[in-house]
Amino acid sequence: MTFLFAINPVSGGKGKTDWTMGIKNYFANSTHVAELRYLDGKTDAQIVSQAIDELKPDRVVAVGGDGTLKIVAEQLVDTGIPLGILPAGSANGTARELGIPAAIQESLDVVVNGKLKAVDLIAINDNDICLHLSDIGLNAQVVRYYEKNNWRGMFGYFRSVLKTLRKRRQLRVEIDTGEECIQRIAFMIVLANARMYGTGAVINPDGDLSDGRFEVVIFRRMHLWGIIKLFWRYRPFDPKYIEIIPATSVTIETHRRAYFQIDGEYRGRITRLDARIRPGAVTMLVPPDVSM
């Protein structure tokens, strides 16, 4: 088989020399072929698309974090070409969800020998997709500071969290799922295809990447310490503060422009978004022992 590796050189705040060497060493004596392409942060989608057209790969692998994975997944929607992950980013939430090992050798074993799993996507405003988690409000503001200051790694993320908490503001939102329409005051609204952020913080305990739906997670009034714990491997579910609504589509409107991010990529400030589920739109490579 031919494997196309799409490598983000700066994902995670450090170079990918170890990952590149690991890939080359793994395939050195293999009957398979490994083709490497490096993203440049400007024409990433074009680089991946052209490589797919040129190489006709049997499998495509994203080497980076959730943002890199999203870029590659966009090129594979409804193609049936399996998508693998080498979790080389600072946030690897989707890899965590799918049980992808963090070590190079083990994650490459999954790429070559893993089983196939159909994964849902959330279509947003008909021109974008979310594979993992999108949100309006608090966390999106964290992502914005992270990108604006070019901070990298978990320390950079922590700095962004602290800066955001000093300027946090609540939102007044209207949420319409087609079955109910509600109004809420909230710090953050999450469209959750999955269970947890890349930090390991579980915000949607019942999330499933392949169940044909997503969850709208509403973070209502929370005290400062509760917000801090939200970002760090903490399962904060408490019906007094958090509300979870299953949905297959939703329209969200805010009374003022609010920060918005998709899979760790800041998308600007919005007052409205429309989202719907696309069941089984991408085929992922997962470890053989991951339940279907």
Side-chain angles (χ1 to χ4, degrees), residues 7 19 81 89 135 148 157 178 195 225 232 238 240 262:
I7 302 172
W19 290 93
I81 300 174
D135 50 60
K148 181 180 179 181
Y157 184 76
R195 296 181 304 120
W225 181 237
W232 304 108
D238 184 331
K240 293 187 298 183
I262 302 176

Side-chain angles (χ1 to χ4, degrees), residues 12-291:
K14 49 191 172 184
K16 295 295 176 292
T17 302
D18 290 345
W19 290 93
T20 297
M21 292 305 301
I23 295 167
K24 291 180 177 179
N25 291 338
Y26 188 95
F27 286 91
N29 298 311
S30 172
T31 57
H32 303 303
V33 176
E35 296 283 351
L36 279 58
R37 296 292 186 274
Y38 293 90
L39 308 184
D40 62 9
K42 298 179 181 179
T43 60
D44 296 340
Q46 183 178 352
I47 290 170
V48 176
S49 177
Q50 288 181 348
I52 292 172
D53 290 342
E54 171 193 345
L55 300 170
K56 303 294 190 294
D58 298 285
R59 296 180 175 183
V60 180
V61 184
V63 185
D66 288 324
T68 305
L69 181 62
K70 177 183 184 300
I71 291 167
V72 178
E74 288 172 340
Q75 307 306 314
L76 299 179
V77 174
D78 296 329
T79 65
I81 300 174
L83 170 59
I85 308 172
L86 297 189
S90 55
N92 303 295
T94 308
R96 285 176 181 267
E97 294 282 346
L98 296 173
I100 306 297
I104 297 175
Q105 177 78 25
E106 287 80 357
S107 57
L108 282 166
D109 285 341
V110 174
V111 165
V112 176
N113 302 310
K115 67 181 181 182
L116 303 181
K117 181 180 179 70
V119 170
D120 305 335
L121 297 176
I122 304 174
I124 297 178
N125 296 336
D126 291 326
N127 61 3
D128 212 338
I129 65 167
C130 168
L131 183 62
H132 186 233
L133 297 166
S134 298
D135 50 60
I136 302 170
L138 199 67
N139 184 64
Q141 191 171 358
V142 171
V143 171
R144 184 235 182 188
Y145 288 142
Y146 188 80
E147 291 185 358
K148 181 180 179 181
N149 293 283
N150 199 30
W151 291 332
R152 296 289 175 181
M154 293 306 294
F155 179 69
Y157 184 76
F158 181 67
R159 291 176 67 187
S160 300
V161 169
L162 293 180
K163 185 173 182 178
T164 299
L165 290 177
R166 290 196 297 267
K167 298 183 178 181
R168 67 190 187 281
R169 295 176 63 188
Q170 290 181 308
L171 298 169
R172 186 166 68 247
V173 300
E174 182 175 289
I175 301 168
D176 186 352
T177 66
E179 297 182 357
E180 63 177 330
C181 184
I182 62 174
Q183 294 183 344
R184 294 290 186 269
I185 301 295
F187 280 112
M188 181 166 72
I189 308 294
V190 183
L191 302 183
N193 197 31
R195 296 181 304 120
M196 69 182 79
Y197 282 110
T199 61
V202 176
I203 54 90
N204 181 32
D206 297 325
D208 185 333
L209 289 166
S210 302
D211 63 357
R213 69 180 190 181
F214 60 93
E215 284 74 39
V216 182
V217 185
I218 306 168
F219 289 85
R220 300 192 299 237
R221 299 183 181 186
M222 298 175 67
H223 53 77
L224 179 60
W225 181 237
I227 295 173
I228 292 173
K229 289 192 290 185
L230 163 66
F231 291 97
W232 304 108
R233 296 181 180 274
Y234 175 67
R235 182 172 176 166
F237 184 78
D238 184 331
K240 293 187 298 183
Y241 302 115
I242 298 170
E243 183 178 0
I244 299 179
I245 304 173
T248 56
S249 66
V250 70
T251 296
I252 300 175
E253 296 187 9
T254 65
H255 78 290
R256 60 176 175 82
R257 294 170 64 231
Y259 297 98
F260 177 53
Q261 70 88 20
I262 302 176
D263 288 344
E265 302 292 322
Y266 181 60
R267 285 291 190 267
R269 299 176 72 176
I270 63 170
T271 56
R272 176 189 171 103
L273 72 80
D274 297 290
R276 60 183 175 83
I277 198 71
R278 295 190 60 181
V282 173
T283 302
M284 302 289 298
L285 289 155
V286 300
D289 58 349
V290 169
S291 62

